Amino acid sequence: MEEGFVLLITLFSPGQRERKAYIEEMEIRSLLATLGLKVGFHKMLTHKEDNPNFLIGPGQAEEAAMVAKEIGAEEVVINAFLSPRQEKNLEKLFQIPVVDRENVILSIFFQNAHSPEARLQIMKAQAEYLKPRLQAREENLSQQRGGVRGAKGEGERRIELERRLIDEKIGFLKKEIERIKRNRQTRSKERKANDIYTFALVGYTNAGKSSIMKALTGADVLVEDKLFATLDTTTRALKLPGERKVLLSDTVGFISNLPHRLIESFSSTLTEALDADAIIIVSDLSHPDAFSCYETTLATLEELGAKEKIKLLVLNKSDNIYDDFSYLKLKSTKFLTVETSVKENRGIKELLDAMAEISSENMKELTIRCNDDGRLIPALKGKAEILSYLWKDDHAELAIRYDKKYDAFIKEAVKKSGSQQLESGNNH
């Protein structure tokens, strides 16, 4: 979409809370602002049921068309999902481009995707969005076709060519995305083989995930007060209290009514969340409806099959709490909770401590009296972290930390090397 002057249409369902309608309006305005689009006029329409031809009622559509003409709108944005047929009919009525919520979000994703993987994913989503719209245009031409039965005009042949090219493009993009996904899975297996604990930051878009990432790791990540400023997954190493090295990933933000094709398209990027040992939800306390944003995040994680990995809830922007009721509800969730304010540098130490506690839940420490033949340490590679190796009067003592899942392996390695276990304990 080009930068310009738009007519914004939002739909208000009977019985819908005014507060929710207001928040939805602010959200779509923020999305449009991210694209540099200026709302020239906002029209809220009462919407009881979908009209198959226009989504809204024919009378409402005609009235909105008059408003668009009167204000000189260059585009019409409808904060809902339009079928190809509805979009085609509305554009015919308005005589200017009509875009829906999915088109707006797709445009933002295309604008902000920078890595090869993210670019491929958004190109695939755009092609899948465009394909049925080309079919709607072809149906329109078929209805208007005259002359010899079965004859095709130049326009229809061109649309058939475009559709075939889109099919080929989607097929190519799927293969490329799958190739990148395999590479990502290989890297994930290598991390697990090296016993590196991983965290993933997830949450509503613009909740402050990138700011927290920067505060924790010093990573040079983009921090902007815009929706979907981050689309490319960033992973950085981090040392927690106790010197344990972990990996932290910043992922794409969620949003209410996120088009399913985008969740599907970015599934390989969100693999960082799926493959992480622990998920950290970041909630924005300055949002007018912070608890609903949290619920949207939970629902998306459940759809992705990652809800069970949630270990920590970060209540961010605690210096600017908008709604006390949302704040109290978030405080009462079942998850371990930490309040932060990156702006005021508060809560970062507490967050690091909480991450250290979580990453150590399944860890065990062991001191071993070693023999001198050097067989044990190589055998432990990839399974245990060496904490110390000290010589005593007549022997060496090796202190290690490892995940309890390797307990049987460690015991067998100690036995084979002729060493002896001295003491053990949990790292809490």
Side-chain angles (χ1 to χ4, degrees):
M1 286 188 290
E2 300 291 335
E3 180 175 343
F5 192 65
V6 306
L7 166 63
L8 170 62
I9 297 176
T10 58
L11 308 181
F12 184 81
S13 302
Q16 184 179 3
R17 291 186 298 126
E18 288 186 15
R19 177 183 175 84
K20 182 172 174 56
Y22 167 76
I23 291 168
E24 288 181 357
E25 181 193 339
M26 291 301 100
E27 185 178 86
I28 187 64
R29 283 178 177 270
S30 294
L31 289 168
L32 294 175
T34 299
L35 287 174
L37 290 169
K38 182 179 179 182
V39 176
F41 192 87
H42 170 229
K43 191 168 183 59
M44 181 176 282
L45 301 176
T46 302
H47 184 66
K48 295 181 180 179
E49 58 182 356
D50 291 353
N51 180 285
N53 292 317
F54 298 102
L55 179 68
I56 56 179
Q60 292 176 320
E62 289 175 5
E63 182 184 338
M66 291 174 61
V67 172
K69 185 176 181 180
E70 185 177 332
I71 67 172
E74 298 173 25
E75 281 184 308
V76 175
V77 176
I78 298 182
N79 190 28
F81 299 113
L82 296 172
S83 70
R85 175 184 177 184
Q86 291 165 343
E87 181 182 298
K88 180 191 71 176
N89 290 337
L90 287 168
E91 286 194 339
K92 185 176 179 181
L93 178 63
F94 282 91
Q95 294 297 301
I96 53 175
V98 175
V99 297
D100 65 358
R101 180 182 178 84
E102 183 167 4
N103 193 313
V104 170
I105 297 175
L106 281 168
S107 297
I108 293 174
F109 272 41
F110 185 79
Q111 174 179 285
N112 291 348
H114 301 296
S115 71
E117 180 179 9
R119 298 288 289 182
L120 287 171
Q121 288 168 331
I122 191 58
M123 287 166 65
K124 174 176 171 287
Q126 285 182 319
E128 290 170 341
Y129 177 81
L130 178 60
K131 182 180 175 182
R133 282 155 175 77
L134 282 176
Q135 291 172 335
R137 285 167 56 195
E138 183 177 9
E139 290 169 7
N140 187 47
L141 284 171
S142 297
Q143 292 168 3
Q144 296 175 4
R145 188 172 64 221
V148 180
R149 183 175 178 82
K152 296 183 180 182
E154 182 63 33
E156 188 173 3
R157 284 197 295 269
R158 180 172 55 80
I159 289 174
E160 284 185 338
L161 174 62
E162 288 176 358
R163 189 172 59 177
R164 188 168 69 251
L165 290 173
I166 283 180
D167 284 335
E168 291 174 358
K169 183 177 182 179
I170 291 172
F172 170 77
L173 292 171
K174 282 181 177 178
K175 289 179 181 177
E176 285 299 295
I177 291 169
E178 187 59 35
R179 178 182 63 80
I180 292 175
K181 185 178 180 180
R182 287 196 298 270
N183 291 339
R184 189 183 282 278
Q185 288 172 339
T186 299
R187 293 196 299 272
S188 177
K189 286 179 182 177
E190 289 173 352
R191 289 200 297 264
K192 290 185 182 300
N194 291 324
D195 198 30
I196 300 177
Y197 198 90
T198 56
F199 289 92
L201 294 169
V202 304
Y204 212 73
T205 182
N206 207 31
K209 298 185 301 297
S210 296
S211 295
I212 287 176
M213 177 85 166
K214 189 170 185 177
L216 291 175
T217 68
D220 184 18
V221 292
L222 178 65
V223 178
E224 282 191 296
D225 186 19
K226 287 184 177 180
L227 302 188
F228 296 116
T230 301
L231 290 180
D232 305 300
T233 301
T234 302
T235 302
R236 293 288 184 272
L238 171 65
K239 273 193 176 180
L240 298 176
E243 296 299 303
R244 186 177 189 192
K245 181 181 176 182
V246 298
L247 293 178
L248 178 64
S249 295
D250 182 16
T251 61
V252 61
F254 303 145
I255 196 170
S256 63
N257 298 321
L258 183 65
H260 185 76
R261 81 175 83 243
L262 282 178
I263 296 177
E264 204 172 72
S265 292
F266 275 79
S267 60
S268 60
T269 299
L270 290 169
T271 297
E272 294 292 346
L274 295 173
D275 286 349
D277 293 297
I279 290 175
I280 301 172
I281 293 181
V282 181
S283 289
D284 174 11
L285 292 178
S286 70
H287 192 281
D289 202 354
F291 192 75
S292 289
C293 295
Y294 162 78
E295 289 182 313
T296 296
T297 302
L298 279 186
T300 307
L301 288 172
E302 187 167 17
E303 185 175 351
L304 292 167
K307 190 176 178 181
E308 296 305 313
K309 293 188 177 184
I310 303 168
K311 298 291 184 181
L312 181 61
L313 174 61
V314 175
L315 304 184
N316 194 32
K317 305 182 187 179
S318 59
D319 56 294
N320 187 23
I321 298 174
Y322 185 94
D323 178 39
D324 289 336
F325 186 56
S326 283
Y327 169 66
L328 292 173
K329 286 203 291 184
L330 287 167
K331 286 273 287 183
S332 65
T333 62
K334 64 179 181 179
F335 303 114
L336 178 63
T337 302
V338 175
E339 294 184 32
T340 60
S341 170
V342 177
K343 181 180 177 181
E344 297 184 353
N345 196 30
R346 285 194 288 105
I348 302 303
K349 180 184 180 300
E350 290 78 3
L351 176 54
L352 288 168
D353 289 340
M355 292 171 68
E357 180 182 339
I358 291 166
S359 65
S360 298
E361 283 178 352
N362 294 316
M363 299 303 291
K364 189 173 182 179
E365 291 184 3
L366 180 66
T367 302
I368 304 165
R369 178 183 174 123
C370 297
N371 62 28
D372 194 10
D373 65 5
R375 285 183 293 163
L376 181 57
I377 290 180
L380 297 178
K381 186 177 179 181
K383 298 293 191 295
E385 177 186 356
I386 307 301
L387 299 178
S388 65
Y389 187 81
L390 302 173
W391 276 97
K392 301 292 184 178
D393 294 336
D394 60 348
H395 67 277
E397 286 190 4
L398 172 67
I400 63 172
R401 181 190 295 134
Y402 63 93
D403 194 294
K404 291 177 184 176
K405 65 186 177 184
Y406 297 127
D407 212 24
F409 176 90
I410 299 293
K411 287 179 180 178
E412 184 64 22
V414 170
K415 181 179 177 181
K416 282 184 178 180
S417 70
S419 302
Q420 180 184 358
Q421 176 178 322
L422 296 179
E423 60 184 79
S424 64
N426 293 331
N427 184 31
H428 286 289

